[in-house]
Amino acid sequence: MKIIIMDDDQSLRYTLSEIFKFAGWDPIVYPNGREGIKGFLNHGADIILVDYHMPEIDGLETVRLIREQNQQIPILVLTVDERQEIADRFLDAGATDFALKPVKAPDLIARVQLHKRLLDMTKTVQATSKIQYEVFVTKGISETTLTYIERHLSASLQPATVEEISKELSLAVPTIYRYLTFLVQNGKVRSIPSYQKIGRPKNRYYWI
């Protein structure tokens, strides 16, 4: 599997390359979005990792430019910023998911494996239906990822928090929150407050 890494931090590029080589994959690194996009258009890839803060073209614009050329390729955003408003901007631009820094090898490998499987599922459906592009239910909501989350929730016996669902599905917390919000708004999922001994109550979500 060919993975493109776009990050201006040389040490992180090296770390990510070693992680992916250990997993048996083929990493290709670029120091910025401009070179990374050019490399992707010329040589292709199976997965793309994009850093949020980069010179010349930042991660958000890089995601937008990639999506103008390709609707299918999974794009994971590397960031230390966990704010939901930032995640929403990236998802609106076409990002698939997030890999939070500092990167943890097991989590990152699991996340990449998941998105490769989801991509393969999409291609299988396309081969049957002759659809030539990823279907987005609405801005920032991929049909493939939505179906994956819906199947998990409908099979779950107990309500779960965003963090619990994130861990079970190998999707980032901001991604899970965005999709759960969409499902709540569309009447498929409900949330109930779960009161903790310490701190604020957390919502638990369940399939209706």
Side-chain angles (χ1 to χ4, degrees):
M1 179 164 59
K2 185 187 295 185
I3 303 177
I4 284 180
I5 302 164
M6 305 181 198
D7 198 300
D8 61 326
D9 185 332
Q10 184 176 1
S11 63
L12 183 57
R13 293 199 304 270
Y14 174 80
T15 299
L16 293 172
S17 293
E18 291 302 302
I19 290 172
F20 293 143
K21 287 177 183 176
F22 175 80
W25 301 329
D26 180 21
I28 304 171
V29 299
Y30 296 97
N32 57 63
R34 189 182 304 278
E35 292 185 30
I37 292 170
K38 183 178 179 181
F40 171 62
L41 295 178
N42 288 336
H43 306 295
D46 297 295
I47 303 280
I48 294 176
L49 270 69
V50 177
D51 184 35
Y52 179 9
H53 299 290
M54 293 188 294
E56 297 189 41
I57 302 176
D58 69 10
L60 190 62
E61 184 63 17
T62 298
V63 171
R64 288 198 186 103
L65 292 171
I66 293 171
R67 277 290 173 249
E68 289 179 0
Q69 302 297 324
N70 187 299
Q71 290 288 304
Q72 290 186 335
I73 186 79
I75 305 173
L76 277 63
V77 178
L78 295 161
T79 180
V80 295
D81 196 328
E82 299 186 61
R83 288 178 295 168
Q84 190 62 43
E85 56 265 35
I86 299 297
D88 288 341
R89 289 171 62 192
F90 270 103
L91 290 167
D92 285 344
T96 310
D97 199 8
F98 302 87
L100 297 178
K101 299 177 181 177
V103 173
K104 297 179 180 178
D107 293 340
L108 182 59
I109 290 173
R111 194 150 297 170
V112 169
Q113 288 173 330
L114 166 65
H115 288 293
K116 183 60 168 62
R117 290 198 303 271
L118 293 178
L119 177 61
D120 290 342
M121 288 169 52
T122 301
K123 289 180 177 178
T124 300
V125 171
Q126 290 175 354
T128 303
S129 62
K130 297 183 180 180
I131 298 173
Q132 298 301 314
Y133 52 88
E134 163 74 302
V135 176
F136 287 87
V137 177
T138 188
K139 195 173 184 181
I141 302 292
S142 155
E143 184 177 47
T144 305
T145 304
L146 181 64
T147 300
Y148 175 62
I149 295 173
E150 286 179 333
R151 287 176 179 174
H152 172 78
L153 291 173
S154 63
S156 297
L157 300 178
Q158 298 293 333
T161 65
V162 172
E163 291 78 10
E164 289 168 345
I165 299 169
S166 169
K167 185 175 181 180
E168 290 172 359
L169 295 185
S170 294
L171 290 168
V173 167
T175 304
I176 291 293
Y177 182 81
R178 174 66 175 267
Y179 279 79
L180 286 175
T181 300
F182 174 81
L183 288 169
V184 169
Q185 291 172 346
N186 284 270
K188 292 186 175 182
V189 167
R190 285 181 183 169
S191 64
I192 54 175
S194 175
Y195 294 94
Q196 313 292 317
K197 292 182 179 180
I198 301 175
R200 296 181 180 181
K202 291 185 176 181
N203 284 340
R204 289 186 174 272
Y205 296 84
Y206 65 97
W207 188 258
I208 299 175

Coordinates of all heavy atoms in Angstrom, one line a residue, residues 57-126:
I57 N 1.2 26.1 1.3 CA -0.2 25.7 1.3 C -0.5 25.0 2.6 O 0.1 23.9 2.8 CB -0.5 24.8 0.1 CG1 -0.2 25.5 -1.3 CG2 -2.0 24.4 0.1 CD1 -0.4 24.6 -2.5
D58 N -1.4 25.5 3.4 CA -1.7 24.8 4.6 C -2.5 23.5 4.4 O -2.9 23.2 3.3 CB -2.4 25.7 5.6 CG -3.8 26.1 5.2 OD1 -4.3 25.5 4.3 OD2 -4.4 27.0 5.9
G59 N -2.7 22.8 5.5 CA -3.4 21.5 5.3 C -4.8 21.6 4.8 O -5.3 20.8 4.0
L60 N -5.5 22.6 5.2 CA -6.9 22.8 4.8 C -7.0 23.0 3.3 O -7.8 22.4 2.6 CB -7.5 24.0 5.6 CG -9.1 24.2 5.4 CD1 -9.8 23.0 6.0 CD2 -9.5 25.5 6.1
E61 N -6.2 23.9 2.8 CA -6.2 24.2 1.3 C -5.7 22.9 0.6 O -6.2 22.6 -0.5 CB -5.3 25.4 1.0 CG -5.3 25.8 -0.5 CD -6.7 26.2 -0.9 OE1 -7.6 26.5 -0.1 OE2 -6.9 26.3 -2.2
T62 N -4.8 22.2 1.1 CA -4.3 21.0 0.5 C -5.4 20.0 0.3 O -5.5 19.4 -0.7 CB -3.1 20.4 1.3 OG1 -2.0 21.3 1.4 CG2 -2.6 19.1 0.7
V63 N -6.2 19.8 1.4 CA -7.3 18.9 1.3 C -8.3 19.3 0.2 O -8.7 18.5 -0.6 CB -8.0 18.8 2.7 CG1 -9.3 18.0 2.6 CG2 -7.1 18.1 3.7
R64 N -8.6 20.6 0.2 CA -9.5 21.1 -0.8 C -9.0 20.8 -2.2 O -9.8 20.4 -3.1 CB -9.7 22.6 -0.6 CG -10.6 23.0 0.6 CD -11.1 24.4 0.4 NE -11.7 24.9 1.6 CZ -11.2 25.7 2.5 NH1 -10.0 26.2 2.3 NH2 -11.9 26.1 3.5
L65 N -7.8 21.1 -2.5 CA -7.2 20.9 -3.8 C -7.1 19.4 -4.2 O -7.4 19.1 -5.4 CB -5.8 21.5 -3.8 CG -5.7 23.0 -3.7 CD1 -4.3 23.5 -3.6 CD2 -6.3 23.7 -5.0
I66 N -6.9 18.5 -3.2 CA -6.9 17.1 -3.5 C -8.3 16.7 -3.9 O -8.5 15.9 -4.9 CB -6.3 16.3 -2.3 CG1 -4.9 16.6 -2.1 CG2 -6.5 14.8 -2.6 CD1 -4.3 16.0 -0.8
R67 N -9.3 17.1 -3.1 CA -10.6 16.7 -3.4 C -11.2 17.2 -4.7 O -12.1 16.6 -5.3 CB -11.5 17.2 -2.3 CG -11.6 16.3 -1.1 CD -12.3 15.0 -1.3 NE -12.1 14.1 -0.2 CZ -11.3 13.0 -0.2 NH1 -10.7 12.6 -1.3 NH2 -11.3 12.2 0.9
E68 N -10.6 18.3 -5.2 CA -11.0 18.8 -6.6 C -10.6 17.8 -7.6 O -11.2 17.7 -8.7 CB -10.4 20.1 -6.8 CG -11.0 21.3 -6.0 CD -10.3 22.6 -6.3 OE1 -9.4 22.6 -7.2 OE2 -10.7 23.6 -5.7
Q69 N -9.5 17.0 -7.3 CA -9.0 16.1 -8.3 C -9.4 14.6 -8.1 O -9.5 13.8 -9.0 CB -7.5 16.1 -8.3 CG -6.9 17.5 -8.6 CD -7.2 18.0 -10.0 OE1 -7.3 17.2 -10.9 NE2 -7.5 19.3 -10.1
N70 N -9.7 14.3 -6.8 CA -10.0 12.9 -6.5 C -11.0 12.9 -5.3 O -10.7 13.4 -4.2 CB -8.7 12.2 -6.1 CG -8.9 10.7 -5.9 OD1 -9.7 10.2 -5.1 ND2 -8.3 9.9 -6.8
Q71 N -12.2 12.2 -5.5 CA -13.2 12.1 -4.4 C -13.0 10.9 -3.5 O -13.7 10.8 -2.5 CB -14.6 12.1 -5.1 CG -15.0 13.4 -5.7 CD -15.3 14.5 -4.7 OE1 -16.1 14.3 -3.8 NE2 -14.6 15.6 -4.8
Q72 N -12.2 10.0 -3.9 CA -12.1 8.7 -3.2 C -11.0 8.6 -2.2 O -11.2 8.0 -1.1 CB -11.9 7.5 -4.2 CG -13.1 7.3 -5.1 CD -12.9 6.0 -6.0 OE1 -11.7 5.7 -6.2 NE2 -13.9 5.4 -6.3
I73 N -9.8 9.1 -2.5 CA -8.7 8.8 -1.7 C -8.9 9.2 -0.2 O -9.3 10.4 0.0 CB -7.4 9.6 -2.3 CG1 -6.1 9.2 -1.5 CG2 -7.7 11.1 -2.3 CD1 -5.6 7.9 -1.9
P74 N -8.7 8.3 0.7 CA -8.8 8.7 2.1 C -7.7 9.7 2.5 O -6.5 9.5 2.2 CB -8.6 7.4 2.9 CG -8.9 6.3 1.9 CD -8.4 6.9 0.5
I75 N -8.1 10.8 3.2 CA -7.2 11.9 3.6 C -7.3 12.0 5.1 O -8.3 12.3 5.7 CB -7.5 13.2 2.9 CG1 -7.6 13.1 1.4 CG2 -6.5 14.3 3.4 CD1 -8.1 14.4 0.7
L76 N -6.2 11.7 5.8 CA -6.1 11.8 7.2 C -5.3 13.1 7.6 O -4.2 13.3 7.0 CB -5.5 10.6 7.9 CG -6.3 9.4 8.1 CD1 -6.9 8.8 6.8 CD2 -5.6 8.3 8.9
V77 N -5.9 13.9 8.5 CA -5.2 15.1 8.8 C -4.4 14.9 10.1 O -4.9 14.4 11.1 CB -6.3 16.2 9.0 CG1 -5.6 17.5 9.5 CG2 -7.1 16.5 7.8
L78 N -3.1 15.3 10.1 CA -2.3 15.3 11.2 C -2.4 16.6 12.0 O -2.1 17.7 11.4 CB -0.8 15.0 10.8 CG -0.5 13.7 10.2 CD1 0.8 13.8 9.4 CD2 -0.4 12.6 11.2
T79 N -2.8 16.6 13.2 CA -2.9 17.8 14.0 C -2.9 17.6 15.5 O -3.1 16.5 16.0 CB -4.3 18.5 13.6 OG1 -4.5 19.7 14.3 CG2 -5.4 17.5 13.9
V80 N -2.5 18.7 16.2 CA -2.5 18.7 17.6 C -3.8 19.4 18.1 O -4.1 19.4 19.3 CB -1.3 19.4 18.2 CG1 0.0 18.6 17.9 CG2 -1.1 20.8 17.8
D81 N -4.5 20.0 17.2 CA -5.7 20.9 17.5 C -6.9 20.0 17.5 O -7.3 19.5 16.4 CB -5.8 22.0 16.5 CG -6.8 23.1 17.0 OD1 -7.7 22.7 17.7 OD2 -6.6 24.2 16.6
E82 N -7.5 19.7 18.7 CA -8.7 18.8 18.8 C -10.0 19.6 18.8 O -11.0 19.0 19.0 CB -8.6 18.0 20.0 CG -7.3 17.1 20.1 CD -7.4 16.2 21.3 OE1 -8.3 15.4 21.4 OE2 -6.4 16.3 22.1
R83 N -10.0 20.9 18.5 CA -11.2 21.7 18.5 C -12.2 21.2 17.4 O -11.8 21.0 16.3 CB -10.9 23.2 18.4 CG -10.3 23.8 19.6 CD -10.0 25.3 19.3 NE -9.0 25.4 18.2 CZ -8.7 26.6 17.6 NH1 -9.4 27.7 17.9 NH2 -7.8 26.6 16.6
Q84 N -13.4 21.0 17.8 CA -14.4 20.5 16.9 C -14.6 21.5 15.7 O -14.8 21.0 14.5 CB -15.8 20.3 17.5 CG -16.8 19.5 16.7 CD -16.3 18.1 16.3 OE1 -15.7 17.4 17.1 NE2 -16.5 17.7 15.1
E85 N -14.5 22.8 15.9 CA -14.7 23.7 14.8 C -13.6 23.6 13.7 O -13.9 23.7 12.5 CB -14.7 25.2 15.3 CG -13.5 25.6 16.1 CD -13.7 25.5 17.6 OE1 -14.4 24.5 18.0 OE2 -13.2 26.4 18.3
I86 N -12.4 23.2 14.1 CA -11.3 23.0 13.2 C -11.6 21.7 12.4 O -11.5 21.6 11.2 CB -10.0 22.9 13.9 CG1 -9.6 24.2 14.6 CG2 -8.9 22.5 12.9 CD1 -9.5 25.4 13.6
A87 N -12.0 20.7 13.2 CA -12.4 19.4 12.5 C -13.5 19.6 11.5 O -13.4 19.0 10.4 CB -12.8 18.4 13.6
D88 N -14.5 20.3 11.9 CA -15.6 20.6 10.9 C -15.1 21.2 9.7 O -15.6 20.9 8.6 CB -16.7 21.4 11.6 CG -17.5 20.6 12.7 OD1 -17.4 19.4 12.6 OD2 -18.1 21.3 13.5
R89 N -14.2 22.2 9.8 CA -13.7 22.8 8.6 C -13.0 21.9 7.7 O -13.1 21.9 6.4 CB -12.8 24.0 9.0 CG -13.4 25.2 9.6 CD -12.5 26.2 10.2 NE -11.6 26.7 9.1 CZ -10.5 27.4 9.3 NH1 -10.1 27.7 10.6 NH2 -9.8 27.9 8.4
F90 N -12.2 21.0 8.3 CA -11.5 20.0 7.5 C -12.5 19.0 6.9 O -12.3 18.6 5.7 CB -10.5 19.2 8.3 CG -9.1 19.9 8.3 CD1 -8.7 20.7 9.4 CD2 -8.3 19.8 7.2 CE1 -7.5 21.3 9.4 CE2 -7.0 20.4 7.2 CZ -6.6 21.1 8.3
L91 N -13.5 18.5 7.6 CA -14.4 17.6 7.1 C -15.2 18.2 5.9 O -15.5 17.5 4.9 CB -15.3 17.1 8.2 CG -14.7 16.2 9.2 CD1 -15.5 16.0 10.5 CD2 -14.3 14.8 8.6
D92 N -15.6 19.5 6.1 CA -16.3 20.2 5.0 C -15.4 20.3 3.8 O -15.9 20.2 2.6 CB -16.7 21.6 5.5 CG -17.8 21.6 6.4 OD1 -18.6 20.6 6.5 OD2 -18.0 22.6 7.1
A93 N -14.1 20.4 4.0 CA -13.2 20.5 2.8 C -13.0 19.1 2.1 O -12.5 19.1 1.0 CB -11.9 21.1 3.3
G94 N -13.3 18.1 2.9 CA -13.2 16.7 2.2 C -12.3 15.8 3.0 O -12.0 14.7 2.5
A95 N -11.8 16.2 4.2 CA -10.9 15.2 5.0 C -11.8 14.0 5.4 O -13.0 14.1 5.6 CB -10.4 15.9 6.2
T96 N -11.1 12.9 5.5 CA -11.8 11.7 5.9 C -11.8 11.4 7.4 O -12.7 11.0 8.0 CB -11.1 10.5 5.2 OG1 -11.0 10.7 3.8 CG2 -11.9 9.2 5.4
D97 N -10.6 11.8 8.0 CA -10.5 11.5 9.4 C -9.2 12.2 9.9 O -8.6 13.0 9.2 CB -10.3 10.0 9.7 CG -10.6 9.5 11.1 OD1 -11.0 10.3 11.9 OD2 -10.3 8.3 11.4
F98 N -8.9 12.0 11.2 CA -7.8 12.7 11.8 C -6.8 11.7 12.5 O -7.3 10.7 13.1 CB -8.3 13.7 12.8 CG -9.2 14.7 12.2 CD1 -10.6 14.4 12.1 CD2 -8.8 15.9 11.7 CE1 -11.5 15.3 11.5 CE2 -9.6 16.8 11.1 CZ -11.0 16.5 11.0
A99 N -5.6 12.1 12.6 CA -4.6 11.4 13.4 C -3.9 12.4 14.3 O -3.2 13.3 13.8 CB -3.5 10.7 12.5
L100 N -4.2 12.4 15.5 CA -3.8 13.4 16.5 C -2.3 13.2 16.9 O -1.9 12.1 17.1 CB -4.7 13.4 17.7 CG -6.2 13.7 17.4 CD1 -7.0 13.6 18.7 CD2 -6.3 15.1 16.8
K101 N -1.6 14.3 17.0 CA -0.2 14.3 17.5 C -0.3 14.4 19.0 O -1.1 15.1 19.5 CB 0.6 15.4 16.9 CG 0.7 15.4 15.3 CD 1.4 16.6 14.9 CE 1.6 16.7 13.4 NZ 2.2 17.9 12.9
P102 N 0.7 13.8 19.7 CA 1.8 13.0 19.2 C 1.2 11.7 18.7 O 0.3 11.1 19.3 CB 2.7 12.8 20.4 CG 1.8 13.0 21.6 CD 0.8 14.0 21.2
V103 N 1.8 11.2 17.6 CA 1.3 10.0 16.9 C 1.6 8.8 17.7 O 2.8 8.6 18.2 CB 1.9 9.9 15.5 CG1 1.5 8.6 14.8 CG2 1.4 11.1 14.6
K104 N 0.7 7.9 17.8 CA 0.9 6.6 18.4 C 0.8 5.5 17.4 O -0.2 5.4 16.7 CB -0.1 6.3 19.5 CG -0.1 7.3 20.7 CD -1.1 7.0 21.7 CE -1.0 8.0 22.9 NZ -2.1 7.8 23.9
A105 N 1.9 4.7 17.2 CA 1.9 3.8 16.1 C 0.8 2.8 16.0 O 0.2 2.7 14.9 CB 3.3 3.0 16.1
P106 N 0.4 2.2 17.1 CA -0.8 1.2 17.0 C -2.1 1.9 16.5 O -2.8 1.3 15.7 CB -0.9 0.7 18.4 CG 0.4 0.9 19.0 CD 0.9 2.2 18.4
D107 N -2.3 3.1 17.0 CA -3.6 3.8 16.7 C -3.5 4.2 15.2 O -4.5 4.1 14.5 CB -3.8 5.0 17.5 CG -4.0 4.7 19.0 OD1 -4.5 3.5 19.2 OD2 -3.8 5.5 19.8
L108 N -2.4 4.7 14.8 CA -2.2 5.2 13.4 C -2.3 4.0 12.4 O -3.0 4.1 11.4 CB -0.9 5.9 13.2 CG -0.6 6.5 11.8 CD1 -1.7 7.5 11.5 CD2 0.8 7.1 11.8
I109 N -1.7 2.9 12.7 CA -1.8 1.7 11.8 C -3.2 1.2 11.7 O -3.7 0.9 10.6 CB -0.8 0.6 12.3 CG1 0.6 1.0 12.1 CG2 -1.1 -0.7 11.6 CD1 1.6 0.1 12.8
A110 N -3.9 1.2 12.9 CA -5.3 0.7 12.9 C -6.2 1.6 12.0 O -7.1 1.2 11.3 CB -5.8 0.6 14.3
R111 N -5.9 2.9 12.2 CA -6.7 3.9 11.4 C -6.5 3.8 9.9 O -7.5 3.9 9.1 CB -6.4 5.3 11.9 CG -7.4 6.4 11.5 CD -7.5 7.5 12.5 NE -8.0 6.9 13.8 CZ -7.9 7.6 14.9 NH1 -7.5 8.8 15.0 NH2 -8.4 7.1 16.1
V112 N -5.3 3.6 9.5 CA -5.0 3.5 8.1 C -5.6 2.2 7.6 O -6.1 2.2 6.5 CB -3.4 3.5 7.9 CG1 -3.1 3.1 6.4 CG2 -2.9 4.9 8.2
Q113 N -5.4 1.1 8.3 CA -6.0 -0.1 7.9 C -7.5 0.0 7.7 O -8.1 -0.5 6.7 CB -5.7 -1.2 8.9 CG -4.3 -1.7 8.9 CD -4.0 -2.6 10.0 OE1 -4.6 -2.6 11.1 NE2 -3.0 -3.5 9.8
L114 N -8.2 0.7 8.6 CA -9.6 0.9 8.5 C -10.0 1.6 7.3 O -10.9 1.2 6.5 CB -10.1 1.7 9.7 CG -11.6 2.2 9.6 CD1 -12.6 1.1 9.5 CD2 -11.9 3.2 10.8
H115 N -9.3 2.7 7.0 CA -9.7 3.5 5.8 C -9.4 2.8 4.5 O -10.1 3.1 3.5 CB -9.1 4.9 5.9 CG -9.7 5.8 7.0 ND1 -11.0 6.2 6.9 CD2 -9.3 6.2 8.2 CE1 -11.3 6.9 8.0 NE2 -10.3 6.9 8.8
K116 N -8.4 2.0 4.5 CA -8.1 1.2 3.3 C -9.2 0.2 3.1 O -9.7 0.0 2.0 CB -6.8 0.5 3.5 CG -6.4 -0.3 2.2 CD -6.3 0.6 1.0 CE -5.6 -0.2 -0.2 NZ -6.3 -1.3 -0.6
R117 N -9.7 -0.4 4.2 CA -10.9 -1.3 4.0 C -12.1 -0.6 3.6 O -12.9 -1.1 2.7 CB -11.2 -2.0 5.4 CG -10.1 -3.0 5.8 CD -10.7 -4.0 6.9 NE -11.2 -3.3 8.1 CZ -10.4 -2.9 9.1 NH1 -9.1 -3.2 9.1 NH2 -11.0 -2.3 10.1
L118 N -12.4 0.6 4.1 CA -13.6 1.3 3.7 C -13.4 1.7 2.2 O -14.4 1.7 1.5 CB -13.7 2.6 4.6 CG -14.1 2.3 6.0 CD1 -14.2 3.6 6.8 CD2 -15.4 1.6 6.1
L119 N -12.2 2.1 1.8 CA -12.0 2.4 0.4 C -12.2 1.2 -0.5 O -12.9 1.3 -1.6 CB -10.6 3.0 0.2 CG -10.2 3.3 -1.3 CD1 -11.1 4.4 -1.8 CD2 -8.7 3.7 -1.3
D120 N -11.8 0.1 -0.1 CA -12.0 -1.2 -0.9 C -13.5 -1.5 -1.0 O -14.0 -1.9 -2.0 CB -11.2 -2.3 -0.2 CG -9.7 -2.2 -0.4 OD1 -9.3 -1.4 -1.2 OD2 -9.0 -2.9 0.4
M121 N -14.2 -1.2 0.1 CA -15.7 -1.4 0.1 C -16.3 -0.5 -0.9 O -17.2 -0.9 -1.7 CB -16.3 -1.2 1.5 CG -15.9 -2.3 2.5 SD -16.4 -1.8 4.2 CE -18.1 -1.2 4.0
T122 N -15.9 0.7 -0.9 CA -16.4 1.7 -1.9 C -16.2 1.3 -3.3 O -17.1 1.3 -4.2 CB -15.8 3.1 -1.6 OG1 -16.1 3.5 -0.3 CG2 -16.4 4.1 -2.6
K123 N -15.0 0.8 -3.6 CA -14.6 0.4 -4.9 C -15.4 -0.8 -5.3 O -15.8 -1.0 -6.5 CB -13.1 0.1 -5.0 CG -12.3 1.3 -4.9 CD -10.8 1.0 -5.0 CE -9.9 2.2 -5.0 NZ -8.5 1.9 -5.1
T124 N -15.7 -1.7 -4.4 CA -16.5 -2.9 -4.7 C -17.9 -2.5 -5.1 O -18.5 -3.0 -6.0 CB -16.6 -3.9 -3.5 OG1 -15.3 -4.3 -3.1 CG2 -17.4 -5.1 -3.8
V125 N -18.5 -1.6 -4.3 CA -19.8 -1.1 -4.6 C -19.8 -0.4 -6.0 O -20.8 -0.6 -6.8 CB -20.3 -0.1 -3.5 CG1 -21.6 0.6 -4.0 CG2 -20.5 -0.8 -2.2
Q126 N -18.8 0.4 -6.3 CA -18.7 1.1 -7.6 C -18.6 0.1 -8.7 O -19.2 0.3 -9.8 CB -17.5 2.0 -7.6 CG -17.7 3.2 -6.6 CD -16.4 4.0 -6.6 OE1 -15.4 3.7 -7.1 NE2 -16.5 5.2 -5.9

